[in-house]
Amino acid sequence: MRVPKKERQRLLQETIDRNPFIKDEELSKQFAVSIQTIRLDRMELKIPEVRERIKHVASERLDEVKSLALSEVIGDMIDLKLDESAISVLDIEREHVFSRNEIARGHILFAQANSLAVALINDELALTTKADIRFSRQVHLGERVVAKARVIKLRRDGRTDVTVESYVGDECVFSGDFTIYRRGEEEQA
Amino acid sequence: MRVPKKERQRLLQETIDRNPFIKDEELSKQFAVSIQTIRLDRMELKIPEVRERIKHVASERLDEVKSLALSEVIGDMIDLKLDESAISVLDIEREHVFSRNEIARGHILFAQANSLAVALINDELALTTKADIRFSRQVHLGERVVAKARVIKLRRDGRTDVTVESYVGDECVFSGDFTIYRRGEEEQA
DNA sequence: ACTGCTATTAGTACCAGGTATTAAGTTCTT
DNA sequence: AAGAACTTAATACCTGGTACTAATAGCAGT
């Protein structure tokens, strides 16, 4: 055997993961085995044929566009009492971090908090006008951030004060005081 | 003729644009014409076969992932003097706005400003620790936001104060005072 | 009504990139 | 040397097409 089966299959998996568009024929050349062997390997590894793989990538992309448009909240909302409190969860993934050091970018944590604060407001139109925020600890790739938002004050002028605190485990990693405008057309978020 | 050719081709184009995964057979049923007619139509309209269409969607998606990972800065940096000042431009597109009212989400403007402030710092590791921000006017779909960042103070303790103001035309839409930490391992952004 | 033209449909051969199955080597091990 | 694991071969068949040829339908103009 040129290269042990297990090793070949490991590499095969990796190769296809990195390039889902590759055909059996090219794989067979790359690994210097017959095309049938490649197909047996794919079977054992439950890797579908190239067209299915491409289709999968493509449909993921369509989903992405939709979910991005739909998700008015960044992170998953797991609790919401309008005009009272809300909680969302965000798992920190590759696209959220600086590639150099795998630390989450500040605006990701801000985005989670901000969209949660906005979602909390029981109104057609809610926009952030002001925020004081503080990042109190680095958040790393793979960590789960739980953001908790709470309405502090409902003012008569249409503004609402919301405070958000985000935790990894029991450590506070982010806190912010937001002022949210509702229904108006003059201010911004 | 059930429906004039031109009209059918217009609808065909539209249908395929909306669902690139649709096969000739289903199209022929939908338009109540033979499969050959659909193929002639596709020819005339230069629409490739379903597999090519899917492949196209899929490869676009891969590009997307790459470009997202690469963009350490949200918006295009057009000027940068390290530890002094920087300017970036962001065109507000569909994915940046609330679908209901086409107003840019707050965290998009924050992201532009934050990543500009971080990029401005001449150091391996730069993280936001604190920010006071204000959204002074709504930004709408299609508008171009120019963010200008300026270093205010370089402290000896490793912190730097940066102020960012973002404009649409000559109107200020966002302003923020950021405190950026450099080189440390304790604080966050 | 016949001609001419476009539009539509049918039919056939062929292709890529597979699946599925059966059978025949090849190694490796013991 | 025998058995098991692994690899290759061969063949039939599938989907969703391309490419090409030919037949047919529908209608307009004269």
Side-chain angles (χ1 to χ4, degrees):
Chain A
M1 278 182 221
R2 315 147 231 249
V3 111
K5 183 179 171 177
K6 278 211 169 177
E7 178 64 6
R8 186 190 57 227
Q9 293 195 342
R10 207 183 50 73
L11 290 172
L12 186 72
Q13 181 69 261
E14 220 181 279
T15 306
I16 292 177
D17 281 349
R18 268 209 307 271
N19 176 17
F21 295 74
I22 195 168
K23 294 168 202 164
D24 286 359
E25 201 184 330
E26 216 192 304
L27 288 166
S28 89
K29 280 178 196 158
Q30 236 177 78
F31 290 93
V33 294
S34 74
I35 210 167
Q36 283 83 352
T37 301
I38 295 294
R39 286 174 180 165
L40 279 176
D41 284 348
R42 272 202 299 106
M43 279 250 219
E44 289 177 19
L45 299 172
K46 315 231 181 222
I47 301 174
E49 59 166 295
V50 72
R51 292 157 188 152
E52 290 305 310
R53 296 195 302 262
I54 291 177
K55 206 184 288 182
H56 185 248
V57 171
S59 53
E60 261 186 349
R61 191 208 153 213
L62 289 197
D63 290 353
E64 219 169 79
V65 171
K66 269 181 219 153
S67 73
L68 215 127
L70 283 175
S71 81
E72 300 272 317
V73 176
I74 288 190
D76 297 319
M77 180 111 61
I78 57 173
D79 187 52
L80 174 64
K81 297 192 196 80
L82 282 172
D83 283 335
E84 286 186 34
S85 64
I87 298 178
S88 82
V89 172
L90 176 66
D91 289 315
I92 300 301
E93 292 170 11
R94 275 247 111 73
E95 67 263 34
H96 302 139
V97 303
F98 291 103
S99 42
R100 258 204 312 285
N101 48 30
E102 301 192 340
I103 295 175
R105 296 161 201 270
H107 56 256
I108 295 298
L109 298 185
F110 176 82
Q112 181 188 16
N114 181 58
S115 56
L116 186 64
V118 167
L120 182 52
I121 304 302
N122 184 13
D123 208 306
E124 274 289 285
L125 176 64
L127 298 171
T128 311
T129 62
K130 189 170 161 308
D132 289 354
I133 60 185
R134 190 169 302 264
F135 299 91
S136 38
R137 157 173 153 341
Q138 296 170 12
V139 177
H140 295 90
L141 180 63
E143 289 186 318
R144 163 165 297 189
V145 181
V146 178
K148 301 180 182 178
R150 205 169 73 248
V151 167
I152 297 299
K153 199 195 300 181
L154 280 153
R155 304 191 195 156
R156 313 143 240 55
D157 69 348
R159 286 187 165 69
T160 304
D161 290 333
V162 178
T163 175
V164 182
E165 290 182 329
S166 300
Y167 296 85
V168 172
D170 57 359
E171 281 186 278
C172 181
V173 297
F174 169 96
S175 58
D177 295 317
F178 293 79
T179 302
I180 311 288
Y181 193 86
R182 48 215 295 167
R183 173 158 307 292
E185 303 264 284
E186 312 156 298
E187 311 242 358
Q188 157 65 13
Chain B
M1 278 180 221
R2 314 145 235 251
V3 109
K5 183 178 172 181
K6 278 210 168 176
E7 179 65 5
R8 185 191 58 227
Q9 292 195 342
R10 208 182 52 71
L11 290 172
L12 185 72
Q13 181 69 261
E14 220 181 280
T15 306
I16 292 178
D17 281 349
R18 267 209 308 272
N19 176 15
F21 295 73
I22 195 168
K23 294 168 202 165
D24 287 357
E25 200 183 331
E26 219 192 302
L27 287 165
S28 88
K29 279 178 196 157
Q30 239 178 75
F31 289 94
V33 294
S34 73
I35 209 166
Q36 284 82 354
T37 300
I38 295 294
R39 286 173 180 167
L40 279 175
D41 285 348
R42 272 202 299 105
M43 279 250 220
E44 290 178 18
L45 298 172
K46 317 234 180 219
I47 301 173
E49 59 167 295
V50 72
R51 292 159 189 149
E52 289 306 310
R53 295 194 303 261
I54 291 177
K55 205 182 291 180
H56 185 248
V57 171
S59 53
E60 262 185 350
R61 192 208 155 215
L62 288 197
D63 290 352
E64 218 170 79
V65 169
K66 268 181 219 152
S67 72
L68 213 130
L70 284 175
S71 77
E72 299 269 320
V73 177
I74 288 193
D76 296 319
M77 180 112 62
I78 58 174
D79 186 55
L80 174 65
K81 296 193 196 79
L82 282 172
D83 282 336
E84 285 187 33
S85 64
I87 298 178
S88 82
V89 172
L90 175 66
D91 289 315
I92 301 301
E93 291 170 12
R94 274 245 111 72
E95 68 263 33
H96 302 138
V97 302
F98 291 104
S99 42
R100 259 204 313 285
N101 48 30
E102 302 194 336
I103 295 175
R105 296 161 201 270
H107 55 256
I108 296 296
L109 298 185
F110 177 82
Q112 181 189 15
N114 181 58
S115 54
L116 187 63
V118 167
L120 182 52
I121 304 302
N122 185 14
D123 209 305
E124 273 289 283
L125 176 63
L127 298 172
T128 311
T129 62
K130 189 170 161 308
D132 289 355
I133 60 184
R134 188 168 302 264
F135 299 92
S136 39
R137 160 173 152 336
Q138 297 169 11
V139 176
H140 294 90
L141 180 62
E143 290 186 317
R144 164 166 296 189
V145 182
V146 179
K148 302 182 182 178
R150 205 169 71 249
V151 168
I152 297 297
K153 200 195 296 180
L154 281 152
R155 303 191 195 156
R156 311 142 241 55
D157 69 350
R159 285 186 166 70
T160 304
D161 290 333
V162 177
T163 175
V164 181
E165 291 182 329
S166 300
Y167 296 85
V168 171
D170 56 359
E171 281 185 277
C172 182
V173 296
F174 168 97
S175 58
D177 295 317
F178 293 79
T179 301
I180 311 289
Y181 193 86
R182 49 215 295 168
R183 174 157 307 291
E185 303 265 286
E186 312 156 296
E187 310 239 1
Q188 158 62 15

